Amino acid sequence: MAYLSSWRSPSNIALVKYWGKYGVQLPRNPSLSFTLSACHTDMKIIVTPETSKPELIVLYDGKERPSFEPKIKSFLSLVQDRFSWIPHASVVIDSTNTFPSSAGIASSASAMSALALCVTDIDDQINARNGVPDEQWWRNVSGIARLGSGSACRSVFPVASLWGEVATVAGSSNFFGIPLADRLSSLYHSYQDTILIVSTEEKKISSSAGHEMMNKHAYAESRYDVANKNLLRLLDCMHSDNEIDLFMSICESEALQLHALMMSGDEPFILIQPNTLSIIREVWNFRKESGIPVCFTLDAGPNVHLLYPAAHKSIVLSWIENNLSVFCADGFYISDEIGGGPEKLL
Ligand code: PMV
């Protein structure tokens, strides 16, 4: 008998960055992210347990994609003590991303959270558990997604998520993300994220290498300390609509710190590009001149995420089209916004 599951799961963008890990994908500092909407992965998996010919077939948009196999194999072997059917099953995985894979946007958060959802759902089917997923179920999925890619554990909650132990946040853990929507003012529930694609090239340095670099980074301890403080400050100011200036300065400082860490390790590297800096300059000028609260954050790459309240959407989008698209590869940018979390498709 074969089992089928299909889920849509979104990407997320960290405001307080996870950079540095220990053990099996456990974070050195807590992180906080917005859950996105337009940027997501749709995944379908078909599992035949107890087959005489266990195999793994990995497809992307219906076509074989062997380059995805190593990451999926290592994820499946990490979770096989929880899902005892894995070693004896035939598993076919097919996925597509809504954002072009060449867009330089990390797809591991959306793909690995989708995979965690599908595998957990299949396990529920095999064991005839058919209750409605509760809080514990989502926490469990988040912990499983973490094993695929740390940041993926934050993708399974609507609006925003916190991953990592914070003494003052009950239920927070290094092992899984928790939902944050209830703690944020409604302003942040409809926040916009326009992603300016500065380069579509593949990253030259993997995030694993970046995390590894933190193990002997001269600034590691002070970074973890600042990240903890920024997380508390951000949580505090996102509680109301009135501290948007503080929100913006923490977001931008976090983004630049991430890249400053890359530039100041033993084997330094630079992922931002001249156009990244041109955009940052334009953002600061525009904000000063217009008073519109638009700020930036960066992922581990040259692309710029512009964050702003929905009320300013049309003016910001026309400013982007007129003034910033010139810094984007082929003028390409993606209009995204805060999203409602994963959806079961089948
Ligand atoms: O989940 P990973 O191992 O790809 O690391 C993600 C690292 C950053 O995207 C740079 C920051 C973050 O918190 O998402």
Side-chain angles (χ1 to χ4, degrees), residues 229-265:
K229 289 186 178 129
N230 279 346
L231 194 124
L232 293 178
R233 293 164 75 215
L234 201 59
L235 268 184
D236 210 38
C237 77
M238 291 174 83
H239 207 63
S240 85
D241 290 0
N242 306 329
E243 297 208 76
I244 200 160
D245 287 344
L246 183 57
F247 167 83
M248 293 193 292
S249 65
I250 297 170
C251 286
E252 294 184 348
S253 173
E254 275 290 317
L256 294 174
Q257 269 181 52
L258 172 70
H259 287 265
L261 288 164
M262 298 172 192
M263 293 180 206
S264 53

Short mmCIF file of all heavy atoms in Angstrom, two decimals, residues 229-265:
data_model
loop_
_atom_site.label_atom_id
_atom_site.label_comp_id
_atom_site.label_asym_id
_atom_site.label_seq_id
_atom_site.Cartn_x
_atom_site.Cartn_y
_atom_site.Cartn_z
N LYS A 229 20.28 40.11 23.21
CA LYS A 229 19.72 41.42 23.59
C LYS A 229 18.80 41.94 22.49
O LYS A 229 17.71 42.46 22.77
CB LYS A 229 20.85 42.42 23.86
CG LYS A 229 21.58 42.08 25.14
CD LYS A 229 22.61 43.13 25.50
CE LYS A 229 23.25 42.76 26.83
NZ LYS A 229 24.71 42.78 26.78
N ASN A 230 19.24 41.82 21.23
CA ASN A 230 18.41 42.31 20.13
C ASN A 230 17.07 41.59 20.08
O ASN A 230 16.04 42.19 19.76
CB ASN A 230 19.14 42.14 18.79
CG ASN A 230 20.14 43.26 18.55
OD1 ASN A 230 20.10 44.29 19.24
ND2 ASN A 230 21.03 43.08 17.60
N LEU A 231 17.12 40.30 20.39
CA LEU A 231 15.87 39.55 20.35
C LEU A 231 14.87 40.09 21.38
O LEU A 231 13.69 40.32 21.08
CB LEU A 231 16.15 38.07 20.60
CG LEU A 231 14.93 37.27 20.22
CD1 LEU A 231 15.27 36.23 19.19
CD2 LEU A 231 14.26 36.66 21.40
N LEU A 232 15.35 40.35 22.58
CA LEU A 232 14.46 40.89 23.62
C LEU A 232 13.95 42.28 23.26
O LEU A 232 12.78 42.59 23.43
CB LEU A 232 15.19 40.94 24.97
CG LEU A 232 15.54 39.58 25.57
CD1 LEU A 232 16.31 39.76 26.87
CD2 LEU A 232 14.27 38.76 25.82
N ARG A 233 14.86 43.10 22.72
CA ARG A 233 14.46 44.47 22.34
C ARG A 233 13.43 44.43 21.21
O ARG A 233 12.45 45.17 21.20
CB ARG A 233 15.67 45.27 21.88
CG ARG A 233 16.67 45.56 23.00
CD ARG A 233 18.00 45.99 22.44
NE ARG A 233 17.98 47.35 21.93
CZ ARG A 233 18.67 47.78 20.87
NH1 ARG A 233 19.44 46.95 20.19
NH2 ARG A 233 18.61 49.03 20.48
N LEU A 234 13.65 43.53 20.27
CA LEU A 234 12.73 43.44 19.13
C LEU A 234 11.35 42.96 19.57
O LEU A 234 10.32 43.51 19.18
CB LEU A 234 13.33 42.49 18.09
CG LEU A 234 12.82 42.64 16.67
CD1 LEU A 234 13.07 44.04 16.13
CD2 LEU A 234 13.52 41.64 15.74
N LEU A 235 11.35 41.93 20.43
CA LEU A 235 10.07 41.41 20.93
C LEU A 235 9.29 42.50 21.63
O LEU A 235 8.08 42.65 21.44
CB LEU A 235 10.33 40.30 21.94
CG LEU A 235 10.38 38.87 21.44
CD1 LEU A 235 10.56 37.93 22.62
CD2 LEU A 235 9.12 38.52 20.65
N ASP A 236 10.03 43.27 22.40
CA ASP A 236 9.42 44.34 23.16
C ASP A 236 8.83 45.41 22.23
O ASP A 236 7.69 45.83 22.39
CB ASP A 236 10.53 44.96 24.02
CG ASP A 236 9.97 45.52 25.28
OD1 ASP A 236 9.06 44.88 25.82
OD2 ASP A 236 10.44 46.61 25.68
N CYS A 237 9.61 45.82 21.22
CA CYS A 237 9.11 46.93 20.41
C CYS A 237 8.05 46.48 19.40
O CYS A 237 7.23 47.28 18.98
CB CYS A 237 10.25 47.72 19.78
SG CYS A 237 11.00 46.96 18.37
N MET A 238 8.02 45.18 19.04
CA MET A 238 7.01 44.72 18.08
C MET A 238 5.64 44.49 18.74
O MET A 238 4.66 44.17 18.09
CB MET A 238 7.47 43.44 17.37
CG MET A 238 8.63 43.70 16.41
SD MET A 238 9.30 42.19 15.71
CE MET A 238 8.16 41.92 14.34
N HIS A 239 5.62 44.70 20.03
CA HIS A 239 4.40 44.59 20.80
C HIS A 239 3.44 45.74 20.51
O HIS A 239 2.25 45.64 20.68
CB HIS A 239 4.81 44.62 22.28
CG HIS A 239 3.88 43.91 23.16
ND1 HIS A 239 3.66 42.56 23.05
CD2 HIS A 239 3.12 44.35 24.19
CE1 HIS A 239 2.79 42.22 23.96
NE2 HIS A 239 2.43 43.27 24.66
N SER A 240 4.02 46.87 20.09
CA SER A 240 3.17 48.04 19.82
C SER A 240 3.49 48.59 18.44
O SER A 240 4.47 48.19 17.80
CB SER A 240 3.41 49.12 20.88
OG SER A 240 4.53 49.90 20.51
N ASP A 241 2.66 49.56 17.98
CA ASP A 241 2.89 50.18 16.67
C ASP A 241 3.83 51.38 16.77
O ASP A 241 4.20 51.97 15.76
CB ASP A 241 1.56 50.73 16.11
CG ASP A 241 0.62 49.62 15.72
OD1 ASP A 241 0.99 48.43 15.89
OD2 ASP A 241 -0.49 49.93 15.26
N ASN A 242 4.18 51.73 18.00
CA ASN A 242 4.83 53.03 18.20
C ASN A 242 6.34 53.01 18.16
O ASN A 242 6.96 54.06 18.30
CB ASN A 242 4.40 53.63 19.55
CG ASN A 242 2.90 53.69 19.64
OD1 ASN A 242 2.25 53.85 18.61
ND2 ASN A 242 2.36 53.54 20.84
N GLU A 243 6.93 51.84 18.04
CA GLU A 243 8.39 51.81 18.15
C GLU A 243 9.02 51.32 16.86
O GLU A 243 9.99 50.57 16.86
CB GLU A 243 8.79 50.93 19.31
CG GLU A 243 8.29 51.49 20.62
CD GLU A 243 9.16 51.09 21.77
OE1 GLU A 243 10.26 51.67 21.90
OE2 GLU A 243 8.74 50.19 22.50
N ILE A 244 8.45 51.78 15.77
CA ILE A 244 8.90 51.29 14.47
C ILE A 244 10.33 51.74 14.16
O ILE A 244 11.09 51.02 13.51
CB ILE A 244 7.88 51.69 13.38
CG1 ILE A 244 8.04 50.82 12.15
CG2 ILE A 244 7.91 53.14 13.06
CD1 ILE A 244 6.83 50.80 11.25
N ASP A 245 10.75 52.90 14.69
CA ASP A 245 12.14 53.34 14.45
C ASP A 245 13.12 52.37 15.10
O ASP A 245 14.14 52.00 14.51
CB ASP A 245 12.37 54.76 15.00
CG ASP A 245 11.68 55.80 14.13
OD1 ASP A 245 11.32 55.46 12.98
OD2 ASP A 245 11.49 56.93 14.60
N LEU A 246 12.78 51.95 16.29
CA LEU A 246 13.64 51.00 16.99
C LEU A 246 13.63 49.66 16.24
O LEU A 246 14.68 49.03 16.02
CB LEU A 246 13.15 50.82 18.43
CG LEU A 246 13.99 49.92 19.33
CD1 LEU A 246 15.44 50.41 19.40
CD2 LEU A 246 13.39 49.87 20.74
N PHE A 247 12.45 49.25 15.81
CA PHE A 247 12.32 48.01 15.02
C PHE A 247 13.27 48.06 13.81
O PHE A 247 14.03 47.13 13.55
CB PHE A 247 10.86 47.85 14.54
CG PHE A 247 10.67 46.80 13.48
CD1 PHE A 247 10.55 45.45 13.82
CD2 PHE A 247 10.64 47.14 12.12
CE1 PHE A 247 10.39 44.48 12.83
CE2 PHE A 247 10.47 46.17 11.13
CZ PHE A 247 10.35 44.83 11.49
N MET A 248 13.26 49.19 13.10
CA MET A 248 14.07 49.29 11.88
C MET A 248 15.56 49.28 12.21
O MET A 248 16.34 48.64 11.51
CB MET A 248 13.69 50.57 11.11
CG MET A 248 12.27 50.50 10.56
SD MET A 248 11.91 51.80 9.36
CE MET A 248 11.96 53.25 10.36
N SER A 249 15.94 49.96 13.27
CA SER A 249 17.38 50.01 13.56
C SER A 249 17.88 48.63 14.00
O SER A 249 18.99 48.23 13.64
CB SER A 249 17.74 51.12 14.55
OG SER A 249 17.17 50.84 15.79
N ILE A 250 17.06 47.88 14.73
CA ILE A 250 17.51 46.54 15.14
C ILE A 250 17.62 45.63 13.91
O ILE A 250 18.61 44.90 13.74
CB ILE A 250 16.57 45.92 16.20
CG1 ILE A 250 16.57 46.77 17.48
CG2 ILE A 250 16.99 44.48 16.52
CD1 ILE A 250 15.50 46.38 18.49
N CYS A 251 16.62 45.68 13.02
CA CYS A 251 16.66 44.84 11.81
C CYS A 251 17.90 45.11 10.98
O CYS A 251 18.59 44.19 10.54
CB CYS A 251 15.45 45.10 10.91
SG CYS A 251 13.96 44.40 11.55
N GLU A 252 18.20 46.40 10.79
CA GLU A 252 19.33 46.73 9.91
C GLU A 252 20.65 46.39 10.57
O GLU A 252 21.59 45.90 9.92
CB GLU A 252 19.24 48.21 9.51
CG GLU A 252 18.02 48.46 8.63
CD GLU A 252 17.89 49.88 8.09
OE1 GLU A 252 18.62 50.78 8.56
OE2 GLU A 252 17.05 50.07 7.18
N SER A 253 20.73 46.61 11.87
CA SER A 253 21.96 46.28 12.57
C SER A 253 22.21 44.76 12.51
O SER A 253 23.33 44.30 12.27
CB SER A 253 21.88 46.76 14.02
OG SER A 253 22.98 46.30 14.74
N GLU A 254 21.14 43.96 12.69
CA GLU A 254 21.28 42.50 12.61
C GLU A 254 21.77 42.07 11.23
O GLU A 254 22.65 41.21 11.10
CB GLU A 254 19.93 41.83 12.90
CG GLU A 254 19.66 41.62 14.37
CD GLU A 254 20.55 40.55 14.98
OE1 GLU A 254 20.75 39.50 14.36
OE2 GLU A 254 21.05 40.78 16.09
N ALA A 255 21.20 42.68 10.19
CA ALA A 255 21.58 42.30 8.82
C ALA A 255 23.06 42.61 8.58
O ALA A 255 23.80 41.78 8.04
CB ALA A 255 20.72 43.08 7.82
N LEU A 256 23.48 43.80 9.01
CA LEU A 256 24.86 44.18 8.74
C LEU A 256 25.83 43.40 9.63
O LEU A 256 26.94 43.08 9.22
CB LEU A 256 25.03 45.70 8.93
CG LEU A 256 24.23 46.51 7.88
CD1 LEU A 256 24.31 48.01 8.19
CD2 LEU A 256 24.72 46.24 6.46
N GLN A 257 25.38 43.03 10.84
CA GLN A 257 26.24 42.20 11.69
C GLN A 257 26.51 40.85 11.07
O GLN A 257 27.62 40.32 11.12
CB GLN A 257 25.58 41.98 13.05
CG GLN A 257 25.95 43.01 14.08
CD GLN A 257 25.27 42.73 15.41
OE1 GLN A 257 25.34 41.64 15.95
NE2 GLN A 257 24.61 43.73 15.92
N LEU A 258 25.46 40.27 10.48
CA LEU A 258 25.63 38.96 9.83
C LEU A 258 26.76 39.03 8.81
O LEU A 258 27.65 38.18 8.77
CB LEU A 258 24.30 38.56 9.16
CG LEU A 258 24.33 37.32 8.28
CD1 LEU A 258 24.51 36.06 9.12
CD2 LEU A 258 23.03 37.20 7.46
N HIS A 259 26.71 40.08 7.99
CA HIS A 259 27.73 40.20 6.95
C HIS A 259 29.08 40.64 7.53
O HIS A 259 30.14 40.22 7.03
CB HIS A 259 27.23 41.12 5.83
CG HIS A 259 26.19 40.41 5.01
ND1 HIS A 259 26.48 39.74 3.85
CD2 HIS A 259 24.87 40.18 5.24
CE1 HIS A 259 25.39 39.15 3.39
NE2 HIS A 259 24.38 39.42 4.22
N ALA A 260 29.06 41.42 8.59
CA ALA A 260 30.32 41.81 9.24
C ALA A 260 31.01 40.57 9.83
O ALA A 260 32.24 40.47 9.82
CB ALA A 260 30.03 42.84 10.33
N LEU A 261 30.22 39.62 10.31
CA LEU A 261 30.82 38.39 10.84
C LEU A 261 31.51 37.61 9.72
O LEU A 261 32.60 37.07 9.90
CB LEU A 261 29.74 37.51 11.51
CG LEU A 261 29.20 38.04 12.84
CD1 LEU A 261 27.90 37.35 13.22
CD2 LEU A 261 30.23 37.90 13.96
N MET A 262 30.86 37.57 8.56
CA MET A 262 31.47 36.86 7.42
C MET A 262 32.78 37.53 7.02
O MET A 262 33.73 36.88 6.62
CB MET A 262 30.54 36.90 6.20
CG MET A 262 29.22 36.24 6.42
SD MET A 262 28.16 36.56 4.98
CE MET A 262 26.59 36.01 5.62
N MET A 263 32.80 38.85 7.13
CA MET A 263 33.97 39.60 6.66
C MET A 263 35.10 39.61 7.69
O MET A 263 36.18 40.10 7.39
CB MET A 263 33.57 41.06 6.38
CG MET A 263 32.64 41.22 5.22
SD MET A 263 32.29 42.98 5.03
CE MET A 263 30.70 42.93 4.25
N SER A 264 34.84 39.11 8.89
CA SER A 264 35.85 39.26 9.94
C SER A 264 36.27 37.93 10.56
O SER A 264 36.87 37.89 11.63
CB SER A 264 35.33 40.20 11.04
OG SER A 264 34.06 39.77 11.48
N GLY A 265 35.96 36.82 9.86
CA GLY A 265 36.39 35.51 10.35
C GLY A 265 37.82 35.22 9.93
O GLY A 265 38.46 36.02 9.25
#
